[in-house]
Amino acid sequence: MTEAVLAIEPEISEATLTVLKRRYLQKDKRGRVVETPGQMFMRVASYIAAAEKAHGNDPGVYRDLFYGIMARLEFLPNSPTLMNAGTDLGQLAACFVLPVEDSISGIFETVKNAALIHKSGGGTGFSFSRLRPKDSRVGSTGGVASGPVSFMKIFNVATEQVKQGGTRRGANMAVLRVDHPDIMEFILCKQASADLNNFNISVGVTDEFMVKARTGLPYNLVDPRDGRVVGTLNATDVFEAMVKQAWHNGDPGIIFLDRINQDNPTPLLGEIESTNPCGEQPLLPMEACNLGSVNLAKFVVEKKGKPTIDYASLGKTIALAVRFLDDTIDRSIYPLDEITAMVRGNRKIGLGVMGFADLLFALELPYNSDRAVALAEEVMAFVQSEARKASRALAQERGVFENFDKSVFRNDKDRRFRNATVTTIAPTGTLSIIAGSSSGIEPLFALSFIRTIMDNETFLEVNPHFMAVAQAQGFYSEALMEKIAKTGTIKGMTEIPESVRKVFVTAHDVSPAWHVKMQAAFQKHTDNAVSKTVNLPRDATEHDVAEIYTSAFDFGCKGVTIYRDGSKANQVLSISGAT
Ligand code: ADP
């Protein structure tokens, strides 16, 4: 092992170490932590790099390169890879979609498979759209069916039990098509029942529905078993019911199924009906995907006295990250043979970014500005094109993905990829804590705040860029940071220079329209989807939510999630005044 390489010890804060010790660092039989963060990255790097051997490469070389990008916190793979690489579990992907068939044995088979996935730290998405509606006849018994929502409760209970002993809480996404006869019950289900706390829910809408919702036209409800029209609803009424519930507590979200399927790289293998729990990864049933994120904050250099993006170095990291994620596919142990076959067949990977808000701070651009949106496009177009280049290079070395001849790329000389998709913008909930960066493409939640980790430990955190500027410009004091932690924002604080207030905006200073524009800018250059929450102030109206849904549709997003301040009981990150 090269000592020079191991000498790079990751810079990990105390809060982060707490997170790592709970779930990520290896423990001995008595539960004592036996690994440092550096050793964790080395465990991951050497386990993943072993895949290089099959392609005639020296795994040692790639182990050191992979270690370097992780230890410098320039790139991190999704949590299951960090937790499970080189362990008996060996399941490395964060995102799965499982089919839910319209039969008792099919449903319970999926409950079991979901439990296995949760145990390994993966999240599961399901479309419940194939289940027969409530009160339909059950042929074999003469009884009546209880419908999608009642079955979701079984998944919920199973998740609840597994999370007690598993690696993390367990997360599910339930999608129901808007033309399913039980759609209204689905829209209201999370309000009606506390038994769905382990689910995010999303209504899968068609383009036709969105057009009809604008003009108050009726649309058909269809029995999924035979396609028979069994009723109609007014599209505007259903849209308004969704909006009302989302305003109330954030659920349901909305996903645009036609848009998602336009980008389905393998339509011959089936239609995409669901995403993973946080919405960023549409997948076919039985498909899984590993995500990874580059930390943009690490790629800022001074050029002629001005901060700029070091694209040359970013490009190299992207190429290595793509190789890493492709290797991960071969090294991951999936809980089902069907999943292994599907994943190896399509080899989807999802490389994205985190630390975008930090990047904007470093470049002194306000998040809510045209220049920031233009930068988002520039950066993501670069990530996408470098990732594709890397995937093409891997295809030359190792071959295109197995299902290439059944994919939309089959007659395209310029798109002979190793991976059916290469980019996804993940939330990076934990990864950004490890990297010490802002999460995903989100604006900062607060410039200084109390971070609650794993339900009970709290830390006062000040954004490092803000702290540096405050110190350099002479307005830093602990008292001021505590004052900021009460609201999270410096809006209206005249003791802080106006130029600083303009750049250091936080989620609530950014209007919903800018949130959507930013999401759309990233989506334009992302194969899969974009995880983004449109934050709304507590006094936002249902009309505001409706505007967000329609503008997300108009701007080409694949879905959208909103969150109105204070509308859910448990916020992971809370401004200190609200804890
Ligand atoms: P991380 O930062 O831990 O790698 P993200 O916040 O980026 O994870 O989430 C990425 C995906 O990982 C989610 O969409 C989901 O599929 C899965 N995931 C996240 N949190 C959980 C959880 N608690 N349990 C199961 N899966 C999860």
Side-chain angles (χ1 to χ4, degrees):
M1 186 163 307
T2 355
E3 293 204 350
V5 171
L6 250 190
I8 315 167
E9 259 297 322
E11 278 177 41
I12 299 282
S13 74
E14 199 192 324
T16 304
L17 204 56
T18 310
V19 175
L20 292 178
K21 279 182 180 162
R22 295 260 179 105
R23 304 272 161 97
Y24 291 70
L25 301 178
Q26 295 293 293
K27 296 188 178 134
D28 64 15
K29 285 203 182 91
R30 290 163 59 191
R32 287 176 310 199
V33 173
V34 293
E35 201 176 48
T36 64
Q39 286 166 338
M40 169 183 78
F41 289 136
M42 190 43 87
R43 164 173 55 81
V44 175
S46 51
Y47 184 77
I48 301 301
E52 291 290 332
K53 210 167 163 202
H55 307 296
N57 300 323
D58 177 359
V61 169
Y62 286 100
R63 176 199 60 206
D64 292 356
L65 290 169
F66 292 161
Y67 177 80
I69 55 175
M70 288 189 284
R72 289 190 299 271
L73 304 172
E74 293 169 356
F75 161 81
L76 291 176
N78 55 208
S79 288
T81 304
L82 294 176
M83 291 168 170
N84 303 334
T87 71
D88 290 345
L89 212 46
Q91 195 297 104
L92 309 178
C95 315
F96 291 78
V97 166
L98 294 176
V100 184
E101 280 170 23
D102 185 39
S103 74
I104 289 294
S105 68
I107 291 168
F108 281 88
E109 189 60 30
T110 300
V111 171
K112 180 189 89 183
N113 293 333
L116 293 174
I117 291 167
H118 292 165
K119 192 176 137 195
S120 69
T124 42
F126 318 90
S127 162
F128 285 89
S129 305
R130 288 169 187 263
L131 296 191
R132 72 192 70 183
K134 194 173 181 168
D135 299 333
S136 317
R137 282 266 152 238
V138 177
S140 53
T141 62
V144 290
S146 49
V149 172
S150 69
F151 285 111
M152 283 166 59
K153 292 182 186 164
I154 297 171
F155 283 79
N156 197 74
V157 174
T159 307
E160 190 70 28
Q161 296 314 311
V162 174
K163 87 180 175 196
Q164 310 301 334
T167 45
R168 50 184 185 166
R169 296 172 88 102
N172 298 300
M173 165 67 88
V175 174
L176 198 71
R177 283 180 62 96
V178 75
D179 55 11
H180 191 284
D182 290 3
I183 192 63
M184 290 309 291
E185 186 190 1
F186 180 78
I187 289 170
L188 301 173
C189 72
K190 284 202 59 168
Q191 194 189 0
S193 158
D195 305 340
L196 293 168
N197 58 321
N198 297 312
F199 267 101
N200 291 331
I201 64 166
S202 273
V203 177
V205 301
T206 56
D207 288 1
E208 180 202 344
F209 172 84
M210 286 305 284
V211 171
K212 287 186 167 171
R214 277 190 194 170
T215 41
L217 290 171
Y219 75 100
N220 291 337
L221 297 178
V222 177
D223 188 320
R225 288 169 297 176
D226 51 15
R228 236 172 4 105
V229 175
V230 292
T232 57
L233 283 172
N234 180 292
T236 306
D237 292 347
V238 174
F239 184 77
E240 282 174 1
M242 286 162 60
V243 161
K244 187 170 180 191
Q245 281 314 304
W247 178 90
H248 191 71
N249 67 2
D251 272 311
I254 185 167
I255 65 169
F256 304 121
L257 288 174
D258 291 332
R259 186 85 33 85
I260 283 175
N261 278 293
Q262 269 160 29
D263 282 354
N264 178 358
T266 54
L268 292 178
L269 300 182
E271 200 178 308
I272 297 178
E273 299 170 33
S274 180
T275 67
N276 69 328
C278 304
E280 70 276 14
Q281 189 61 50
L283 291 169
L284 293 168
M286 290 293 185
E287 198 168 25
C289 184
N290 4 310
L291 310 178
S293 301
V294 289
N295 178 5
L296 294 173
K298 295 284 180 188
F299 297 92
V300 181
V301 286
E302 290 272 326
K303 233 188 205 165
K304 294 187 189 143
K306 274 182 73 182
T308 44
I309 299 176
D310 181 355
Y311 276 115
S313 161
L314 179 59
K316 283 186 196 144
T317 302
I318 292 167
L320 266 178
V322 167
R323 178 180 282 270
F324 179 106
L325 293 173
D326 188 62
D327 285 347
T328 304
I329 294 171
D330 296 328
R331 297 295 280 151
S332 181
I333 299 163
Y334 299 102
L336 284 176
D337 291 346
E338 287 110 307
I339 296 180
T340 309
M342 199 62 162
V343 175
R344 303 247 161 102
N346 286 349
R347 305 192 74 85
K348 280 184 186 169
I349 58 171
L351 182 67
V353 299
M354 58 185 159
F356 180 66
D358 293 331
L359 175 73
L360 293 178
F361 288 159
L363 301 182
E364 296 174 13
L365 294 177
Y367 191 96
N368 45 355
S369 68
D370 285 324
R371 287 177 62 204
V373 171
L375 185 82
E377 280 217 31
E378 178 187 306
V379 168
M380 202 55 211
F382 181 80
V383 174
Q384 171 93 315
S385 108
E386 292 297 306
R388 285 183 173 164
K389 216 192 280 174
S391 183
R392 272 198 307 268
L394 286 177
Q396 278 178 357
E397 179 190 311
R398 320 175 162 181
V400 289
F401 58 95
E402 249 170 62
N403 294 329
F404 185 83
D405 288 339
K406 293 184 202 135
S407 80
V408 295
F409 312 122
R410 63 185 176 278
N411 295 320
D412 193 335
K413 276 200 318 295
D414 300 326
R415 297 197 294 169
R416 293 189 62 78
F417 298 128
R418 172 75 172 158
N419 313 91
T421 66
V422 290
T423 44
T424 302
I425 307 280
T428 71
T430 318
L431 294 192
S432 62
I433 300 178
I434 301 174
S437 71
S438 59
S439 49
I441 60 159
E442 298 290 0
L444 230 56
F445 187 70
L447 288 169
S448 117
F449 63 92
I450 307 284
R451 194 191 282 280
T452 310
I453 288 176
M454 314 259 176
D455 302 335
N456 51 20
E457 295 201 35
T458 56
F459 299 82
L460 173 73
E461 285 197 18
V462 181
N463 175 265
H465 298 270
F466 181 63
M467 174 118 86
V469 167
Q471 281 166 343
Q473 299 201 15
F475 63 84
Y476 178 84
S477 76
E478 224 164 85
L480 181 64
M481 298 305 128
E482 274 168 25
K483 182 176 166 194
I484 296 168
K486 293 214 160 62
T487 59
T489 170
I490 54 174
K491 200 175 175 181
M493 286 191 182
T494 45
E495 62 267 49
I496 296 173
E498 202 196 331
S499 57
V500 175
R501 278 184 279 151
K502 218 168 157 189
V503 170
F504 285 90
V505 291
T506 53
H508 289 294
D509 306 329
V510 173
S511 69
W514 282 113
H515 278 282
V516 177
K517 272 191 206 171
M518 194 56 92
Q519 179 177 336
F522 276 97
Q523 182 62 70
K524 211 164 160 186
H525 304 286
T526 301
D527 286 339
N528 295 300
V530 175
S531 167
K532 171 96 190 74
T533 302
V534 176
N535 282 98
L536 293 164
R538 202 185 196 108
D539 61 3
T541 62
E542 288 174 24
H543 178 73
D544 296 331
V545 178
E547 283 273 316
I548 292 167
Y549 281 10
T550 42
S551 61
F553 180 70
D554 291 342
F555 290 166
C557 297
K558 290 186 177 167
V560 71
T561 307
I562 65 120
Y563 177 71
R564 188 172 60 89
D565 193 30
S567 61
K568 256 184 209 162
N570 281 327
Q571 285 179 234
V572 178
L573 299 176
S574 48
I575 295 169
S576 67
T579 34

